Amino acid sequence: MNMPTNYRILITGANGLLGQKLVRQLIRHADCEILATGKGRSRLPSVWSGFRYMEMDHTSPKAIGEIFRQFQPTTVIHAGAMTQVDDCEVNQAECYKQNVEATSLILKACQSIDAHLIFVSTDFIFGGEDGPYTEEATGNPVNYYGSSKLLAEKAIMNSSLSKWSIVRTVLVYGISHDMSRSNLILWVKSSLEAGKTIQVVDDQFRSPTLAEDLADGIIKIAMVKAYGIFNVSGPDRITPYQMAVLTAKYFGLDQSCIVNVPSSSLEHKGKRPLKTGLIIDKAIRELDFRPKSFTEGIGILAKQLKLAHSYKN
Ligand SMILES: NC(=O)c1ccc[n+]([C@@H]2O[C@H](COP(=O)([O-])OP(=O)(O)OC[C@H]3O[C@@H](n4cnc5c(N)ncnc54)[C@H](OP(=O)(O)O)[C@@H]3O)[C@@H](O)[C@H]2O)c1
């Protein structure tokens, strides 16, 4: 006989980097029934079990309505979003639809069944003049992606839903199971291995976050029903140049091929905030959140890379 579960958790954007890590970690929780949702068919590994996948475009009220009616989630982790900063800048109407309107639809659906909504937000809601930021800091985005996330946050905070959590995070890195996504570590490693010289900015400060750690923080929030705003990021506050140097050191590659440059020398459609990073004391204190340092994170990625290559060969 199947035992009833305490949590019915619906994940949006389950094919994405964070979504994959959430599914992977949640299937180990016996007291959770998991519904992974995303755009189109599942791109999660077919060998994983212990969850169901259903297509749900989070801009479609009809799809959301049907899936919420069928599954009746107790908890919704809204990880799906339009995440490429430059695309959001160029296509603001689409970004508004994907990040603001879609969140309002998910919010309404949660309100209709009094589900706990966990919304994944970003350090890019801040202006970057005076980071790192606490949960109380005021948003002042410098690009459209950040504006869209801040609007979505405000819609949640100003709603009648009492059970909400906003999880702000920073520069998430990790390896997706199909290696479909690059990140700074993989880019630095492959460029230096190919003998290329790379330019990396040294005036932006971030708290890089291992995707597994972010998933862990979110799951803790879901399990203990921690409501309100939580900063969930890595513990270090370093520049992309420093991240590149640490990566080169870890893999024994030539650091002299990494050239530090100011942000002003790179052209981006969406402006990047300079000094962000998040203060994570609240998550450490209230959730016992213990994120890995960036160097530990590189080690974890290196192991995953080895494993991915051994499966291929
Ligand atoms: N990555 C970072 O550095 C970072 C930093 C701060 C905050 N965040 C936030 O963290 C969350 C997870 O990000 P991530 O790194 O996992 O990004 P990701 O890999 O780009 O995942 C986002 C997912 O959302 C899905 N999606 C987009 N539009 C959709 C729609 N209409 N219906 C259903 N799914 C849709 C995408 O589907 P497809 O795969 O089919 O395109 C993708 O799988 C996002 O809310 C992001 O804003 C990320």
Side-chain angles (χ1 to χ4, degrees), residues 52-72:
R52 279 187 292 151
Y53 178 91
M54 288 175 88
E55 180 174 348
M56 187 181 86
D57 180 336
H58 62 217
T59 62
S60 160
K62 186 165 175 265
I64 294 173
E66 275 169 15
I67 285 184
F68 271 65
R69 203 167 36 253
Q70 278 178 38
F71 186 61
Q72 298 281 318

Side-chain angles (χ1 to χ4, degrees), residues 35 104 115 118 129 133 143 153 197 229:
L35 181 64
S104 293
I118 304 176
E129 303 91 6
Y133 296 99
N143 57 47
E153 280 196 11
T197 295
I229 303 173

Side-chain angles (χ1 to χ4, degrees), residues 16-49:
L17 178 62
L18 172 62
Q20 290 183 14
K21 305 296 176 187
L22 283 167
V23 173
R24 181 90 181 103
Q25 287 172 218
L26 273 168
I27 53 186
R28 299 185 192 126
H29 286 253
D31 56 350
C32 295
E33 191 178 339
I34 302 144
L35 181 64
T37 70
K39 211 165 45 176
R41 59 182 189 81
S42 170
R43 302 198 300 277
L44 293 161
S46 53
V47 290
W48 290 3
S49 58

